[in-house]
Amino acid sequence: MRSARPPRIRRLATATAVVGLANVATIILMYTVAGFFGPVNDVGNGTEGVLLAVLAWRLAPVARSSSPHLARAWVMAATTGATVVVLGSLLVLSGRTGWFLAGHVTMLGYAILGAGVLGINGIAQRGGWWPQPVTTLGRLAGLAMLCGGFAIPAILNGLDDPRHTPWFVIVSYGGGVGWFLLAPVWSWRLGRLPDWADGAMSAAQNP
């Protein structure tokens, strides 16, 4: 039995956490130090979305053995969500839209990713893959990320003026709590699990 995959998943989860927490730092620096950190944050946001999607693909084999349909939905949500997140970053980096509208697109992408995070933690909880606190944290992260779905009306209306912030945009900001804070902490916990190569997760070595 090969032993490479669990350490790779562990490193991937840790990398996702590091990028996510770096995004917190860059957005704080953007507002307190210099606007230069804005584009850095945009790149980081897209990178975190892609890493979450790759993590989904890496976890898919063992998830498929437990719940094939839910595993497929998780991978589709992660892939779609990451694509939308990257689109949000490209919109602002290319100047096609302002940061406000691009942020709505990013929020929506992470909301779709949040559905996947909920799904994988649901499978993990039923299968007993990880300690209960880890799956609980993952589900909380996914639920918070879903708030980004409230950005849909802002996207459809092309809302790109931060001086006009309707209630649904404010609610969508709750998604940021999920992907800025909770999802990176959840990923970090996954990366630090001491028994990663044991139990159900070892099944991922033989998809």
Side-chain angles (χ1 to χ4, degrees), residues 82-192:
T83 301
V84 177
V85 168
V86 170
L87 175 61
S89 294
L90 290 176
L91 284 173
V92 65
L93 288 170
S94 66
R96 295 291 297 273
T97 70
W99 65 268
F100 197 57
L101 179 55
H104 303 326
V105 176
T106 298
M107 286 287 188
L108 175 60
Y110 274 110
I112 301 170
L113 274 165
V117 172
L118 272 175
I120 196 65
N121 280 279
I123 297 173
Q125 186 174 43
R126 289 198 300 271
W129 301 354
W130 309 321
Q132 182 67 38
V134 175
T135 55
T136 298
L137 178 60
R139 296 180 100 167
L140 287 174
L143 284 171
M145 291 164 73
L146 287 177
C147 291
F150 281 90
I152 291 176
I155 297 171
L156 294 178
N157 288 286
L159 187 60
D160 204 7
D161 186 349
R163 294 172 299 178
H164 301 289
T165 309
W167 68 269
F168 49 83
V169 170
I170 295 173
V171 174
S172 74
Y173 289 160
V177 176
W179 56 274
F180 259 129
L181 298 176
L182 298 180
V185 175
W186 169 70
S187 299
W188 180 262
R189 291 292 303 274
L190 286 186
R192 310 326 295 171

Side-chain angles (χ1 to χ4, degrees), residues 33-90:
V33 178
F36 160 79
F37 290 99
V40 176
N41 181 258
D42 296 323
V43 172
N45 290 339
T47 302
E48 182 185 352
V50 170
L51 288 174
L52 280 171
V54 176
L55 184 59
W57 300 332
R58 298 294 294 182
L59 290 171
V62 67
R64 194 176 298 119
S65 67
S66 176
S67 181
H69 297 299
L70 194 53
R72 189 177 302 112
W74 143 254
V75 172
M76 289 180 61
T79 304
T80 303
T83 301
V84 177
V85 168
V86 170
L87 175 61
S89 294
L90 290 176

